[in-house]
Every structure is written in C-alpha cells, then in structure tokens.
Amino acid sequence: MSDGNQKRSAETKRNDRPGDRRRALRAMTAGAAGLVVGCSTTSENAGPAVQTRKRVQWRLASSFPRSLDTLYGASEELAVRVEALSDGAFTIRCYPGGDMIPALGVLDGVQSGTVQAGHTASYYYKGKNPALSFDAGVPFGLTARQQFAWLYHGGGLELMREVFADFNAVNFPGGSTGAQMGGWFRREVPGIADLKGLRMRIPGLGGEVMQRLGVECQVLGGGDIYPALERGAIDATEWVGPYDDAKLGFDKVARYYYAPGWWEPGPTLSFLVNRKAWEELPAEYQRIVEVAAAESSMKMTAKYDSLNPPALRQLIDGGTQVRTFSDEIMAAARDASFALYQEQAASDPGFRKVFEAWERFRQESTAWFAVSEGSFTRFAFQQG
Ligand code: CA
C-alpha cells in the first residue's frame, strides 16, 4: 500500500487536491492490476468526478447486539476502516445479531451468500463440525496471546481455513475478550460436591465439561438470563467479563462472581467472508480487509483490557464478592476437558487433525509462557 493511501482519511475529498489527482492517474495506469476505471457524474462535487475504484457494497451480519459495543463494535470498526482505506468506494453495512439473520445463523448466512461477511464465534457452530471450536477456543485451551500466536504464526489459520472451506467461507481473526470470568453464582461452590445438581447457563464445550462434573447445563440467549437468575430458575450463569456482565445486571441477582472462566481462557471471534465475495474483490480490497480485520481485532482486545478493570472495581464497590474456583474443581475440569478431546479425536479424523497440531503448539507455548509471563504474573499480580 502506498504512503498516500496510508495518509488518507475518510473525510478527505480526493478531487480537491493535486496529490489526489496524481494518485488517480497512478491508479488509472494500474488498471491491469485489477482496478476498475470509469466516469461518474453522481459525485457530491459540482463537476464530473473520475472514479478510479470499483464500488463494492457488502452486508455484514454480527452475532452480537448493538448494546455490546465491545463485540458488535468490532464490526463497525472494520466497516469504518475499510471505507476510509478505499476512499469510500468499498462500504460495509453492519447488522446486529437477529436484525437480518439469527444471531447464531451467521455462518449459514455467509455460506449461502445472504451476507458477504459475518462476525461471530466459531464455537457456536461446533454442531456442524466440532473442529470449529479451535478457531474460537476450548476449555483449558489457549490464552488470547497464545491463540493469536497459533493462528498467525503457528499454522492455526491455515488449518482453520481448510475447515471453513467446507462452508464456503474465508476466516480472519476478529478480536478476543481475553480470559473470561467464571460467572455469577447465587451461592458459593467451594468444591466438586457443590456443583452436583447446580443449574447453570453455560453453552458449548464448557457446558459439556460442566455436565461431566454434575452441573445441569442450560443454554439461554443473552436477554433471557437475567430473569431466569432472578426468579431462581437457574443458580448460576456465565457470560463474558465485568464490562459486558455489568450491562446485563447480573450483580443485582447473584452475589458471587467466580474466576477464571477456565472454559474460555482466550476466546477469539472471527470475521467470516463468503468465498465468492472474497474472490470477486480486487486484490487491493482484499488487502484492505486483511489490514482492517487485524486492526479491529487488536483494538477489541485492547478495549476489553482497558474497560474491564474499572468495571470490576465498580462491581466490588457495589457488593459483589469475587471468588476463585478451587484447585479441586479446576483439576477435575481440566481432566474432563482433555478426556473429551481424546474421545472426539478418536472418532473424528477432522477433529483429530486440528487437535493434534493445536495440542503440540499448546504444550510448547505453555512451557514458554510458564517461564516468562507466568513467573512474572505469579509474583507481580499478587502484589497489586
Ligand atoms: Ca462466556
């Protein structure tokens, strides 16, 4: 990408400046590289304007409600940057979960081409292919740092793209919440015995592991959790972390806030693009999507890491009691998690292929982080 492109802003009226005319001429001579050159008189400017860029309009379906500015915000962030980097020629209209297609129907929507793009969590679709879970994260899996290392530099993205090819989709990492909280409990759960018969809202593989520990798991949509917890239809729920959880008001109906969310140590979201829509993009726009997705991804994680600390402090000031899961629960949950993966790998070659590569990466990465980050955080994070 040229320096000129990097310096542009969305607000720039490119026909007003000599430098922009030079860029337009350069772009015209680059027609053989895929740029579409045409004339338009529909510009907001008074005279005819030379359009050097192909106009592309996409629809993007998010799995998340507009109220969750962290998760849904990543899509808008992507759209704003794509538009700015293409001088307004490539626009993406974002739809919150349920607006255009169901929140958990994003992969279907991208696969069928109903929307050109989506933003979602791949583990929602583990029923279609269990290996998709690794694109987002699994219980006792990778932290956000490890997950991005695996995806970008550890062969993970290539492996996951093979899986997504069956769904007519191309995937890009789309942010991480970082380690999630273990959720809200109406009573304390010191040991394994306290989990027996506990009714908890927890979806996905985390739910399957909890079930093996005796928990009665339920899957409820975001809006249904609070009333269920309030009237005692469930005893506990997990969601994300302090900033998102406070918005749903769980602290009003459950006193104990457990850490960590061992089932989601670094869950990563994904931008999905319909393969045909991707292949039809000019090469420059493909690069723009890659750059904007990577930036949006990084910013989401930064946003969580800056918004969660004050949100947790406010919850504690309001009476929330923070607890950590006991080693007894953590050890049993970890054993149950890896037993689950081994069983799945034994019966599903596609899962085994991803799992074995992922597990080699996880072991080596974990040995390194235990030495570096681990030795530091074990001491420094206890000092305050
Ligand atoms: Ca969660």
Side-chain angles (χ1 to χ4, degrees), residues 62-74:
S62 170
S63 285
F64 311 106
R66 199 184 296 277
S67 57
L68 293 178
D69 59 306
T70 40
L71 292 166
Y72 178 73

Side-chain angles (χ1 to χ4, degrees), residues 233-317:
I234 54 174
D235 308 301
T237 186
E238 67 88 52
W239 185 241
V240 178
Y243 181 73
D244 290 342
D245 293 8
K247 288 188 172 184
L248 296 184
F250 297 140
D251 56 305
K252 307 289 187 296
V253 285
R255 182 176 173 81
Y256 301 101
Y257 197 19
Y258 271 79
W262 43 260
W263 48 96
E264 294 184 283
T268 302
L269 293 307
S270 298
F271 290 111
L272 305 180
V273 176
N274 174 273
R275 176 161 294 282
K276 184 162 175 285
W278 176 253
E279 287 169 354
E280 285 174 358
L281 278 186
E284 183 194 13
Y285 290 7
Q286 291 183 341
R287 302 292 86 78
I288 286 175
V289 170
E290 285 171 349
V291 165
E295 184 192 54
S296 169
S297 177
M298 180 269 291
K299 282 186 174 174
M300 184 208 284
T301 309
K303 203 166 173 180
Y304 270 113
D305 286 343
S306 67
L307 294 174
N308 275 328
L312 179 63
R313 178 173 38 75
Q314 282 164 19
L315 287 168
I316 292 171
D317 289 348

